[in-house]
Amino acid sequence: KFCEDLKPQAVVLNGDMVDGARISRHPPIGWEYRPEFADELSAVEDRLGEIEKAAPKAKRYWPLGNHDARFESIIAKQLPELAKVKGVHLKDHFPKWNPCWMVWFNDDVVVKHRWKSGIHAAFNNTKEAGKSIVTGHLHKGIVYPWTDYNGTRYGVDLPTMAEPYGPQFADYTEMSPVNWRSGFAVLTFIDGQLCMPELVLVVEDIPR
């Protein structure tokens, strides 16, 4: 809906579009349900197809997330000789999206999956990078402005596109409260300058 209305010049999937629960190094919690990786790929393909249809002229980028990396990591570790075989790389399954570590806009804004961690990650990212920086690893849904003699820049920690209290997280979080939000961010540039990033957040249904 937003892609159709806003007609963005670019769409960035900032990592962890797939989870790789079954191929994770973490053991299952009891007999929790974990989807097959092929089903994850199929679901992501369907969702990305919707974006491609809604924003056909937009550039498409996919910075690698740590969960995305599970797919290639397990193959590289156990079968390194398959490195040149088509299909063993995540990008082989999503040829319409440009894989990368980060995306730069106007030399002032960088989008990458993660850097600093902790509750003050968004602040620390922009303060230490000297640039506006957008990450997605922590799911916080925060925009932190920082102004100095270089002007104003922003540290953005994106929300997640998932439902924070969805059943897929129940065992992982033990249904404890999580400081995550569901949604995404819109970056608007006027004359090449980034305006304050806007968060589009879902009105949450907190489990009772």
Side-chain angles (χ1 to χ4, degrees), residues 111-124:
V111 184
K112 68 191 311 291
H113 181 64
R114 61 178 178 173
W115 187 23
K116 303 295 183 179
S117 59
I119 191 170
H120 302 297
F123 160 72
N124 288 325

Side-chain angles (χ1 to χ4, degrees), residues 118-189:
I119 191 170
H120 302 297
F123 160 72
N124 288 325
N125 281 341
T126 192
K127 186 174 184 295
E128 296 194 26
K131 304 287 185 180
S132 290
I133 182 168
V134 182
T135 56
H137 182 60
L138 300 177
H139 319 312
K140 295 293 190 291
I142 293 172
V143 177
Y144 197 108
W146 179 259
T147 303
D148 55 24
Y149 286 140
N150 294 311
T152 299
R153 56 188 185 270
Y154 304 94
V156 182
D157 187 78
L158 295 171
T160 173
M161 294 292 283
E163 181 183 350
Y165 291 102
Q168 71 274 30
F169 297 123
D171 292 325
Y172 175 71
T173 64
E174 301 178 11
M175 288 307 292
S176 298
V178 291
N179 188 23
W180 304 344
R181 278 156 286 281
S182 181
F184 55 93
V186 177
L187 305 186
T188 301
F189 295 82

Side-chain angles (χ1 to χ4, degrees), residues 20-26 37 66-82 88:
R22 285 201 179 190
I23 58 176
S24 166
R25 60 184 174 84
H26 302 291
F37 192 75
N66 54 304
H67 286 241
D68 300 325
R70 289 173 173 174
F71 175 54
E72 293 182 37
S73 294
I74 193 170
I75 297 174
K77 180 179 179 180
Q78 298 186 20
L79 296 167
E81 62 273 19
L82 297 186
V88 301

Side-chain angles (χ1 to χ4, degrees), residues 71-72 75 82-93:
F71 175 54
E72 293 182 37
I75 297 174
L82 297 186
K84 296 182 180 180
V85 176
K86 184 175 177 60
V88 301
H89 301 283
L90 191 61
K91 65 182 180 181
D92 296 338
H93 301 271

